[in-house]
Amino acid sequence: MSTPLEKPQIISHIQKGLNYTVFDSKWIPCSAKFVCMGNFARGTGVIQIYEVQHGEVQLIKEIEKAKPFKCGTFGATSLQQRHLATGDFGGNLNIWNLEAPEIPVYSVKAHTEIVNTIDGVGGLGIGDGAPEIVTGSRDGTVKVWDPRQRDTPVANMEPIEGEAKRDCWTVAFGNACNDQDRCICAGYDNGDIKLFDLRNMSVRWETNIKNGVCCVEFDRKDINMNKLVATSLEGKFHVFDMRTQHPTKGFASVSEKAHKSTVWQARHLPQNRDIFMTAGGAGSLHLWKYEYPAQRSKKDADEIEMGVAGSASLLQNVTLSTQPIASLDWSPDKQGLCVCSAFDQTVRVLIVTKLNRV
Amino acid sequence: METEQVSSMLDLGTTKSYKIPVEHLDYSFIEKCTDVRHLEKILAVLRSGEEGIYPALTEFCEKKIESLDPRSQALRKEKPPATAASFSSDEWREIMCDLKSWSKEINQRETELKYQSVLDNSENVPPVRGSNVFVPSKQNKINKGKTSKNKVVPREYSEWDKFDVEKECAKVEGCNKEKSSPGLINHGLPKIKRKIDTTGLTDKEKNIIANREKDKGNEFFNAKDYEDAVVYYTRSISVIPSVAAYNNRAQAEIKLQHWNNAFNDCEKVLELEPNNMKALLRRATVYKHLGKVKEAADDLKKVLQAEPENVMAKKLLHETEENKDMQSKKQPKGKRILIQEVEDLDDEPETESCLLVGGESAAEKGEMGNAQRKFPGRGDGGLQTEEKTPSTAKKAQTKRGSSEKGSYQGAKEQGQVNEFQRNESYAGDQTSPSSSGTDSSRPDVPVDSGALPPDIARLKSQGNELFKSGQFSEALLKYTQAINDFTEAEIDSPGDLSILYSNRAACFLKDGNCSDCIQDSTRALELQPFSVKPLLRRAMAYESLERYRQAYVDYKTVLQIDSGVQSANDSVNRITRLLIDQDGHNWREKLPDIPAVPLSAQQNRWEGTSANYEQTQQKTKGFGGSKPVQDTGKKTEALFLSHKQEGNDFVKKGQYKDALGKYTECLKLKSSECAIYTNRALCNLKLNQYEEAKQDCDSALQLEPSNMKAFYRRAMAHKGLQNYAYCMDDLKEVLRLDPKVAEAEKELQEAAELLSKRSVAPDSQEKQRKKIQIQEVNDSDEEETENTRDRNDGKEVNRHVGTGDNQINHCGSENMFPLQPTNAYEFGQALNAVKSKEDIAACAKLLCSVEPENLPSLMSNKLEVDSFTIIIQALDNHLLQKDPILVYRHLVHLHEAERFKMVSLLLGKTEKEQVKQLFDHLSTVESVQFTSDDIQNLAKHYLF
């Protein structure tokens, strides 16, 4: 604290109050614009596009649809098209051309219940291979979609019949380092984390972190699995080193008590995979840096390789609101620029300084 | 202070929340306390204010905690976001200006992006994920393969701890593969493409991608994954070459000690930016390590001219100058580092022993007669030379002796003794095999050259001594002198000269003079082809020069000669990895040809010993079992080895049943040899006795828990038994042991596919059948895997499809192989399938689908008598009428295949008849492509 200016600082650059509940916010790639998705009080869904101009945000466009939007991603679209894929309360997956949003360019009834979470890969030059979208829903299923294929998912991961269906809260793509390899990580309300290998179509690994998994994210989608951050309901997050998988112990991990309440989000800096921000239930943001151990793997008693976890150190923390921060997104184009939305019906544009000196 | 004392006197109890004695809330206590946890509790009490508010004490406590544990959570305070006030006005202005200029720039970029024509780059994109297409998820949700795999069971944490894989696997009995996967290390290097396909992308996008790849490289660099970093920098360069990416790659290469690559990258940077300080510095580092002290100093001086304060440059310059001094006395240090890497491979200078192994086996071969005599090997040649040598040597000796007037008395004596020893050892080899024992004992008994003139012999032994004591350059001089004398004396003993060259090569290698080492090794090899040591040395030299391909070839040759050379095995693995990095998946195509080692040189050790043992046996028989008891151990050992060898031979000839018997006998003699189990497993697999194969693999794995072959074969056995889940387990284990085993990966995919298919099967045969049909018309990719499945598991298909369903079956057998086998593995698989069914028509199709030019490479070293026969039959019966030119071309290329000579020798009468018939038929065909003379010439290759 004696040298506050050498550490990264988090500046709340712009705040904008909204007249609806906002669930997700995302930067539009290659622009100074972002979208907010949410729920009008009258029960309809809304997408707003804002542009950062001269120290404030300008509303560019507002789109209202029948069902409230829960989540969205640009992960599976090309830079030229920049179509937004959304999941809504009705279980639909839609892909919108934001220039012509009257009818979706792709629409499917993906789930029987609300789509909690969505992620995309293969677009924007991130991740080799086909563009694919994964959705996770309260109906307990995780489905993978290819925008080129109508109506049916290309992969469907659901509990076998008779088993209790757990609410899937979060999904994330990873390991898309070449055309064939691709993994999906899904987190469930009972603390289960499952890693699906799309190449082998199998569960590669699963674990349980005791409390509901609010967010999982790979540090990068398009490299060999390196790290995975999973945040949980009771204020902890876990960083798994995904390099070395032990046959019984799985992946090594380090956990850190981050917030005094639920950690809603964890997002890695696109420009530096070892820095990530967590967003908490009490309106706080924590900026972390992961430090690798000297040796990332060691041999156990039976001469089997096992991973060694590093440690996470807190770089900065701020409190923005009293309400949970539900979404957080780093700008892919400008290092340190970030948008977050909270349940106080406010969207904020943040600037994090000195990230390149960390 | 006063109030505090009062309060503590009034209430000497504990605090409310943590039950801390109140007197602990005190400066002196906090000062002394080192228990962070306790201090944190005190801080919590102080902050809560339940015992009163003491701001100074609270701050004091915070400071104390910070000094003990700066990362303590208790120190985290809620903080408001930073505002303009938190920065100096300059900083704030900078931040805001930066943002403004960025938004302007990005807006411009966005408009540019909009006005660019939308290019369709869909051809770059892989097809829609195939395996789950068209499966209506509503109808058979439960049956779908991946569905069953995903069991969202709420598993309690404690339960997870007790998770027992074996039990769990047994419970789910093969059809449900809910289990923990084997240990894996995600080394993705071989999997990552080194080039990015950017067709159809705009410059803007390319720029973004190049930058992103570079960033990824930086991240890997920071995480000390230098190899990955190099890959990602390479990717970035493949999109748009940039100074930064080259520069960073140079640094990563330096970290990996790939000096040449680093040098090239620095050069590229300096080409683009002649005054790039970083590149100059890095080049200086490379120079320094390559021992080019002068160049390094030049570069560093340039840097210091521009940046006189550059600490790094100063330090390097200092080191370099030190090095320079040392160099004037000794060899540069940098070079030694490189050599140290390979040093452990082979430290001893070569003595005669190495050659003797070869020569002796050659002699034995001559004696062994029959089978081996056919081969035009160097066995006979070797023998002749050996016979000649003593006399010529003697001549030389007398010549020397007379010219130098007995001054070499002692040396001469030595030479004679040596000669005697040598002769004796030959005699021993031929007559008393028991003395030769196992070949491992051989190198310990250095038998010195007897054929050498005494002075040369002395020079050589002096050289050896010097080498052993580490004085390589002196040893070098001795060897050089010896070589000079040798050539002057015009002695006709290539073997001895070869050894001298080989020894000198060792000296060069030690001195880091790799190119001379290569030259000498090559000379040694010209004189004495296929001797292990010079090959090894040349390989090491190539490796240090980063000429990995040549090194690979040499190591491989060594392994062909003696597969037990551990250092060669290790190096081959290492180089394979490097080559894959360098050349990607097709690295093999860029390799120079690996010379086929004649059989006489190949297994000389084994055959040598087994021959000995056979003799021992005969002798034992001759003595009518009156041999002393101590020989019985040796005898069983001998029997064991000979059985094993016979078994191996049977396997090579494809007579798996016979081989099986031999191996079983082996195991009766000695049941602790892992290799026998794996070999027998192979036979069992070939004979479709999967259960037995599995048992053998189990035994092998008990002996050697990480035997990759055993895992792979057990996987195949499981596959045969239709236990796909187990099969996948084993394959994953194989991949864990060596992620590069392409076959295992392929099989794994196949097994996964099979498993998902099978879990559907029991429920709805009708549906399954439909599904196959859908997939067959679907796309070629899918068809391929489907058919592979058919081939591998005909039974299963029959069950699903129904035996009466001829059409599908027919379909399956017709396209049993990939239409265009692209590598030796695919081709081998296809050929095996054809062979097992004796489906000559299918073989003909297969031959149609490959370019004759590729045939030898596709065949690789897998050519066997039966495959040869079926190819000949296919050519004769099916292809000849359709396309005689193709037949001709195939024949032209077939005889270039690796094991062709070998196979042609093993052909039986009927096979030879068939070949003759084919050529007869072919010669009746008239074509512009070839004349009857051509055919006759060609026939000579096939018919001796």
Side-chain angles (χ1 to χ4, degrees):
Chain A
M1 329 262 154
S2 50
T3 54
L5 293 183
E6 283 171 13
K7 295 204 298 182
Q9 298 291 319
I10 301 170
I11 304 164
S12 177
H13 181 48
I14 305 163
Q15 298 203 26
K16 174 85 181 169
L18 305 170
N19 60 347
Y20 57 93
T21 308
V22 54
F23 290 110
D24 205 358
S25 52
K26 283 274 184 297
W27 286 100
I28 300 179
C30 205
S31 77
K33 291 183 231 156
F34 60 87
V35 292
C36 293
M37 289 152 272
N39 178 14
F40 273 130
R42 53 181 172 270
T44 55
V46 57
I47 299 176
Q48 283 187 328
I49 304 173
Y50 285 98
E51 179 162 19
V52 179
Q53 282 175 346
H54 317 296
E56 51 190 69
V57 288
Q58 294 280 326
L59 179 64
I60 304 283
K61 191 175 267 180
E62 183 175 304
I63 302 157
E64 191 173 348
K65 296 286 167 190
K67 294 282 182 198
F69 292 105
K70 180 63 179 49
C71 49
T73 181
F74 286 100
T77 178
S78 76
L79 259 187
Q80 287 159 350
Q81 292 177 318
R82 291 181 293 171
H83 291 166
L84 176 67
T86 59
D88 66 23
F89 277 44
N92 300 303
L93 164 67
N94 292 312
I95 300 181
W96 307 95
N97 179 357
L98 294 174
E99 307 281 318
E102 292 73 28
I103 46 160
V105 291
Y106 179 92
S107 181
V108 68
K109 172 84 178 161
H111 295 274
T112 52
E113 285 178 84
I114 177 174
V115 180
N116 282 322
T117 172
I118 191 166
D119 194 20
V121 76
L124 310 174
I126 297 179
D128 286 1
E132 280 175 342
I133 294 167
V134 60
T135 54
S137 160
R138 187 178 290 163
D139 68 8
T141 60
V142 173
K143 292 180 182 172
V144 183
W145 308 87
D146 190 314
R148 295 169 295 174
Q149 180 180 301
R150 303 264 154 195
D151 306 324
T152 52
V154 292
N156 178 357
M157 285 142 275
E158 61 183 307
I160 54 172
E161 208 171 32
E163 300 269 0
K165 290 180 174 172
R166 307 310 308 215
D167 194 348
C168 175
W169 279 350
T170 174
V171 289
F173 271 116
N175 207 23
C177 60
N178 60 28
D179 284 358
Q180 296 101 41
D181 280 305
R182 196 165 277 189
C183 281
I184 291 173
C185 190
Y188 297 85
D189 65 340
N190 61 343
D192 271 351
I193 297 176
K194 287 169 186 292
L195 184 67
F196 303 105
D197 188 333
L198 285 184
R199 183 182 197 167
N200 295 336
M201 285 295 172
S202 64
V203 179
R204 177 152 169 199
W205 167 72
E206 54 185 331
T207 189
N208 187 296
I209 59 168
K210 286 186 198 163
N211 286 288
V213 187
C214 299
C215 177
V216 290
E217 194 185 48
F218 286 97
D219 57 354
R220 279 196 185 275
K221 292 172 190 171
D222 53 349
I223 57 172
N224 237 317
M225 285 193 293
N226 185 49
K227 286 190 334 268
L228 175 80
V229 172
T231 72
S232 73
L233 208 57
E234 93 302 5
K236 270 192 182 171
F237 69 82
H238 302 250
V239 186
F240 294 91
D241 184 312
M242 306 299 277
R243 256 311 157 82
T244 315
Q245 185 176 7
H246 188 275
T248 51
K249 297 189 181 87
F251 297 105
S253 76
V254 60
S255 77
E256 182 85 23
K257 173 99 179 147
H259 299 257
K260 294 201 174 68
S261 52
T262 302
V263 190
W264 281 73
Q265 285 283 338
R267 288 284 176 256
H268 289 85
L269 189 66
Q271 291 82 9
N272 185 345
R273 66 180 190 192
D274 298 324
I275 294 176
F276 59 95
M277 184 115 91
T278 54
S284 57
L285 290 175
H286 287 196
L287 185 68
W288 302 88
K289 182 177 200 301
Y290 181 82
E291 269 139 17
Y292 294 98
Q295 287 287 325
R296 290 188 69 182
S297 67
K298 62 177 182 197
K299 298 251 165 80
D300 71 356
D302 305 324
E303 289 293 296
I304 301 171
E305 290 277 345
M306 59 187 282
V308 180
S311 61
S313 62
L314 183 68
L315 295 175
Q316 188 58 274
N317 62 308
V318 295
T319 305
L320 296 172
S321 159
T322 53
Q323 296 296 310
I325 295 173
S327 79
L328 181 71
D329 192 38
W330 293 101
S331 163
D333 305 298
K334 175 72 182 163
Q335 174 166 295
L337 195 63
C338 150
V339 60
C340 69
S341 68
F343 285 151
D344 57 3
Q345 299 205 337
T346 308
V347 62
R348 292 175 178 85
V349 177
L350 310 174
I351 301 172
V352 184
T353 63
K354 297 193 177 75
L355 281 171
N356 48 358
R357 280 183 228 169
V358 178
Chain B
M1 220 35 193
E2 243 179 50
T3 46
E4 200 186 313
Q5 277 168 351
V6 170
S7 76
S8 65
M9 276 164 69
L10 286 175
D11 176 20
L12 284 171
T14 54
T15 59
K16 275 177 229 156
S17 42
Y18 288 104
K19 305 288 176 215
I20 301 166
V22 173
E23 58 265 34
H24 284 184
L25 306 183
D26 178 51
Y27 284 101
S28 54
F29 178 82
I30 291 171
E31 179 74 66
K32 273 180 246 152
C33 180
T34 51
D35 180 1
V36 181
R37 293 232 156 255
H38 192 70
L39 283 173
E40 280 173 3
K41 283 179 193 163
I42 293 173
L43 186 64
V45 172
L46 285 171
R47 277 183 181 162
S48 71
E50 61 186 32
E51 303 294 324
I53 295 163
Y54 314 103
L57 185 62
T58 313
E59 202 182 317
F60 181 75
C61 186
E62 277 172 9
K63 278 203 176 126
K64 178 72 189 171
I65 294 175
E66 197 183 348
S67 71
L68 290 171
D69 178 14
R71 290 167 73 169
S72 164
Q73 284 186 21
L75 294 173
R76 284 177 204 158
K77 284 187 205 162
E78 285 198 357
K79 272 185 280 182
T83 58
S86 333
F87 297 88
S88 71
S89 56
D90 280 350
E91 276 178 319
W92 183 253
R93 210 178 305 132
E94 201 183 305
I95 293 165
M96 289 304 134
C97 283
D98 185 36
L99 190 66
K100 210 178 270 175
S101 65
W102 170 76
S103 60
K104 210 184 263 173
E105 188 194 320
I106 197 83
N107 277 336
Q108 200 187 341
R109 228 202 289 170
E110 194 185 2
T111 37
E112 275 174 37
L113 199 65
K114 258 183 215 165
Y115 288 107
Q116 258 151 10
S117 57
V118 176
L119 294 162
D120 186 23
N121 58 340
S122 53
E123 66 267 28
N124 295 345
V125 184
V128 175
R129 201 171 283 283
S131 50
N132 302 290
V133 200
F134 300 131
V135 189
S137 53
K138 273 181 190 164
Q139 280 177 27
N140 50 356
K141 260 180 199 165
I142 326 114
N143 293 336
K144 270 166 53 189
K146 73 253 153 222
T147 314
S148 58
K149 274 161 232 154
N150 169 22
K151 212 173 70 166
V152 187
V153 203
R155 190 186 290 286
E156 291 302 319
Y157 200 64
S158 51
E159 195 188 324
W160 178 256
D161 277 342
K162 291 179 224 144
F163 189 74
D164 183 340
V165 187
E166 297 302 322
K167 239 193 258 167
E168 203 74 8
C169 285
K171 220 191 283 172
V172 291
E173 198 49 63
C175 48
N176 197 342
K177 27 169 301 212
E178 208 264 326
K179 43 112 198 69
S180 94
S181 16
L184 280 178
I185 300 180
N186 291 320
H187 281 313
L189 282 180
K191 291 189 278 179
I192 298 165
K193 279 193 250 162
R194 305 197 139 232
K195 266 184 102 173
I196 300 175
D197 190 1
T198 49
T199 44
L201 292 184
T202 61
D203 286 349
K204 289 270 168 263
E205 283 170 301
K206 277 189 200 166
N207 227 331
I208 292 169
I209 290 170
N211 266 327
R212 194 180 291 132
E213 297 299 315
K214 196 189 79 213
D215 284 350
K216 282 198 256 177
N218 291 346
E219 288 166 353
F220 278 109
F221 189 90
N222 289 335
K224 300 197 180 70
D225 285 335
Y226 301 118
E227 286 173 2
D228 291 76
V230 169
V231 173
Y232 282 101
Y233 290 136
T234 312
R235 280 163 67 96
S236 172
I237 289 167
S238 83
V239 180
I240 295 176
S242 70
V243 169
Y246 275 124
N247 225 340
N248 292 357
R249 191 168 71 175
Q251 184 63 38
E253 298 276 19
I254 286 174
K255 291 277 184 191
L256 290 169
Q257 305 201 342
H258 295 162
W259 308 118
N260 282 349
N261 297 352
F263 178 76
N264 291 340
D265 283 343
C266 291
E267 291 278 282
K268 284 221 180 80
V269 175
L270 291 170
E271 230 169 71
L272 298 165
E273 265 182 37
N275 283 321
N276 190 307
M277 291 302 137
K278 276 188 195 166
L280 278 172
L281 255 180
R282 280 166 198 169
R283 192 170 68 178
T285 317
V286 174
Y287 275 139
K288 193 185 132 219
H289 282 282
L290 291 175
K292 297 180 179 171
V293 185
K294 204 176 147 286
E295 287 90 337
D298 285 351
D299 275 356
L300 290 170
K301 277 171 194 154
K302 251 187 246 172
V303 174
L304 285 174
Q305 241 170 23
E307 292 173 24
E309 292 309 304
N310 194 316
V311 187
M312 181 74 188
K314 275 184 188 165
K315 200 178 131 221
L316 263 178
L317 189 62
H318 184 69
E319 280 175 20
T320 323
E321 259 147 23
E322 258 177 21
N323 252 1
K324 211 191 255 174
D325 297 341
M326 273 174 61
Q327 199 188 30
S328 53
K329 295 176 213 150
K330 253 177 124 189
Q331 285 291 320
K333 220 177 175 180
K335 270 184 187 173
R336 291 298 293 273
I337 293 176
L338 266 181
I339 293 157
Q340 269 160 10
E341 283 185 328
V342 291
E343 204 156 49
D344 54 330
L345 293 176
D346 178 8
D347 261 331
E348 286 292 298
E350 189 168 27
T351 54
E352 207 76 353
S353 54
C354 174
L355 175 82
L356 268 182
V357 174
E360 141 213 305
S361 63
E364 280 158 9
K365 210 136 292 154
E367 207 189 55
M368 276 257 292
N370 301 349
Q372 262 70 21
R373 186 156 282 167
K374 271 190 211 159
F375 299 109
R378 67 189 183 81
D380 306 318
L383 194 58
Q384 276 166 14
T385 338
E386 303 299 345
E387 280 165 0
K388 229 187 279 167
T389 325
S391 57
T392 42
K394 237 176 236 168
K395 245 183 256 163
Q397 249 174 26
T398 39
K399 210 160 100 193
R400 286 257 154 196
S402 58
S403 66
E404 298 182 20
K405 290 282 168 196
S407 58
Y408 290 106
Q409 192 71 40
K412 197 172 177 182
E413 245 174 54
Q414 192 197 358
Q416 277 167 347
V417 170
N418 282 342
E419 190 182 336
F420 172 71
Q421 273 180 351
R422 188 189 171 103
N423 284 341
E424 194 187 50
S425 77
Y426 270 109
D429 282 336
Q430 281 165 355
T431 53
S432 63
S434 54
S435 74
S436 62
T438 56
D439 47 1
S440 64
S441 67
R442 189 60 45 83
D444 298 334
V445 193
V447 185
D448 219 341
S449 154
L452 285 176
D455 55 338
I456 297 177
R458 203 180 48 181
L459 280 171
K460 195 182 135 196
S461 64
Q462 280 171 348
N464 288 358
E465 281 305 311
L466 286 166
F467 188 95
K468 269 181 204 155
S469 58
Q471 293 161 290
F472 304 125
S473 45
E474 284 84 352
L476 187 86
L477 287 174
K478 294 284 174 200
Y479 288 135
T480 314
Q481 212 181 332
I483 290 170
N484 286 342
D485 287 359
F486 201 101
T487 38
E488 273 169 33
E490 292 175 1
I491 303 165
D492 181 25
S493 171
D496 292 316
L497 188 59
S498 159
I499 287 164
L500 284 173
Y501 274 123
S502 166
N503 284 2
R504 195 169 68 169
C507 294
F508 278 130
L509 186 64
K510 289 283 176 192
D511 271 356
N513 190 342
C514 297
S515 50
D516 281 339
C517 169
I518 291 170
Q519 228 171 31
D520 271 2
S521 311
T522 313
R523 261 183 231 141
L525 287 168
E526 276 164 11
L527 295 162
Q528 196 78 42
F530 303 115
S531 36
V532 176
K533 291 227 169 180
L535 271 172
L536 264 180
R537 279 172 195 153
R538 191 168 66 178
M540 281 181 225
Y542 276 133
E543 202 184 345
S544 339
L545 289 176
E546 298 187 15
R547 288 157 72 177
Y548 296 119
R549 294 191 194 117
Q550 283 92 338
Y552 181 84
V553 169
D554 278 350
Y555 280 129
K556 271 289 185 197
T557 320
V558 169
L559 287 177
Q560 280 186 54
I561 297 167
D562 182 355
S563 58
V565 183
Q566 190 52 41
S567 60
N569 271 321
D570 295 346
S571 306
V572 162
N573 290 342
R574 189 171 56 234
I575 294 177
T576 310
R577 217 173 302 138
L578 282 164
L579 282 175
I580 290 172
D581 287 355
Q582 209 175 310
D583 301 336
H585 283 298
N586 301 330
W587 61 279
R588 275 179 204 278
E589 289 167 14
K590 296 188 184 167
L591 282 179
D593 290 333
I594 298 173
V597 174
L599 205 75
S600 55
Q602 226 171 67
Q603 301 149 335
N604 52 23
R605 305 204 154 191
W606 272 120
E607 268 153 11
T609 40
S610 66
N612 288 342
Y613 290 127
E614 259 160 41
Q615 283 173 349
T616 330
Q617 263 172 267
Q618 279 166 7
K619 263 194 192 155
T620 337
K621 270 181 210 156
F623 281 111
S626 65
K627 274 261 156 182
V629 189
Q630 70 229 40
D631 271 15
T632 48
K634 233 181 225 170
K635 203 181 105 192
T636 40
E637 178 83 350
L639 259 175
F640 173 79
L641 284 172
S642 72
H643 281 318
K644 181 175 166 185
Q645 187 57 37
E646 284 167 46
N648 289 351
D649 288 344
F650 279 130
V651 170
K652 273 182 206 135
K653 289 178 201 151
Q655 298 165 340
Y656 298 112
K657 250 209 174 98
D658 299 315
L660 193 74
K662 286 289 172 200
Y663 288 136
T664 313
E665 275 178 53
C666 272
L667 288 172
K668 272 183 206 155
L669 292 166
K670 192 167 146 196
S671 61
S672 60
E673 188 95 341
C674 180
I676 304 293
Y677 283 112
T678 52
N679 287 358
R680 197 169 69 171
L682 178 70
C683 299
N684 275 323
L685 275 180
K686 294 277 181 187
L687 297 168
N688 294 342
Q689 299 168 348
Y690 298 117
E691 192 53 52
E692 289 85 345
K694 195 188 133 238
Q695 277 163 8
D696 279 343
C697 292
D698 286 341
S699 321
L701 285 171
Q702 259 169 11
L703 294 165
E704 254 182 56
S706 61
N707 188 313
M708 219 163 71
K709 272 189 197 164
F711 273 118
Y712 185 76
R713 287 181 187 151
R714 193 168 69 179
M716 294 297 97
H718 279 309
K719 193 170 155 191
L721 294 167
Q722 303 181 12
N723 287 335
Y724 301 118
Y726 289 124
C727 168
M728 285 176 70
D729 282 355
D730 283 341
L731 287 169
K732 282 177 188 165
E733 188 64 29
V734 173
L735 286 172
R736 193 183 63 78
L737 292 167
D738 182 2
K740 288 188 296 296
V741 188
E743 292 97 298
E745 209 165 304
K746 218 180 151 104
E747 292 288 353
L748 184 63
Q749 251 177 313
E750 226 167 75
E753 202 100 332
L754 283 170
L755 187 65
S756 57
K757 298 279 148 55
R758 205 173 76 151
S759 49
V760 189
D763 288 60
S764 50
Q765 277 202 355
E766 212 46 40
K767 248 172 221 154
Q768 173 66 19
R769 181 168 152 185
K770 219 188 208 163
K771 201 162 120 197
I772 289 179
Q773 284 171 330
I774 288 169
Q775 286 178 337
E776 272 177 349
V777 293
N778 195 355
D779 59 347
S780 61
D781 239 20
E782 191 56 34
E783 197 166 53
E784 192 177 302
T785 42
E786 190 62 34
N787 288 325
T788 337
R789 192 176 79 104
D790 290 0
R791 160 164 49 87
N792 285 309
D793 208 0
K795 267 184 266 166
E796 204 206 18
V797 173
N798 284 344
R799 208 180 64 210
H800 293 329
V801 180
T803 34
D805 208 333
N806 280 331
Q807 208 187 343
I808 289 176
N809 265 349
H810 183 60
C811 225
S813 72
E814 233 173 25
N815 298 319
M816 268 186 305
F817 34 78
L819 287 176
Q820 287 273 298
T822 49
N823 55 33
Y825 172 71
E826 280 178 13
F827 184 83
Q829 287 274 309
L831 197 62
N832 276 338
V834 168
K835 240 159 47 184
S836 63
K837 293 197 173 175
E838 293 191 328
D839 190 345
I840 298 167
C843 180
K845 273 218 171 104
L846 178 67
L847 286 172
C848 281
S849 70
V850 298
E851 274 304 303
E853 283 85 354
N854 299 335
L855 198 58
S857 66
L858 288 171
M859 211 50 112
S860 86
N861 57 358
K862 301 289 186 299
L863 189 63
E864 281 165 33
V865 175
D866 45 355
S867 48
F868 178 77
T869 321
I870 198 162
I871 287 175
I872 293 295
Q873 283 170 349
L875 289 175
D876 197 3
N877 299 345
H878 288 84
L879 287 179
L880 195 60
Q881 280 140 19
K882 259 190 265 171
D883 192 353
I885 293 163
L886 187 71
V887 173
Y888 174 71
R889 284 170 62 211
H890 267 306
L891 286 171
V892 166
H893 289 283
L894 183 60
H895 79 81
E896 291 163 7
E898 211 173 306
R899 281 166 54 87
F900 175 79
K901 270 233 162 74
M902 164 87 187
V903 166
S904 63
L905 288 169
L906 294 171
L907 289 182
K909 242 191 192 147
T910 46
E911 284 98 335
K912 281 204 171 154
E913 256 332 294
Q914 281 169 343
V915 177
K916 200 155 178 285
Q917 215 180 333
L918 172 62
F919 275 101
D920 288 341
H921 290 159
L922 194 61
S923 54
T924 58
V925 179
E926 276 190 24
S927 166
V928 282
Q929 298 277 326
F930 50 88
T931 64
S932 57
D933 281 346
D934 287 342
I935 292 170
Q936 257 160 29
N937 282 335
L938 192 58
K940 276 180 197 155
H941 288 288
Y942 286 82
L943 304 162
F944 292 90

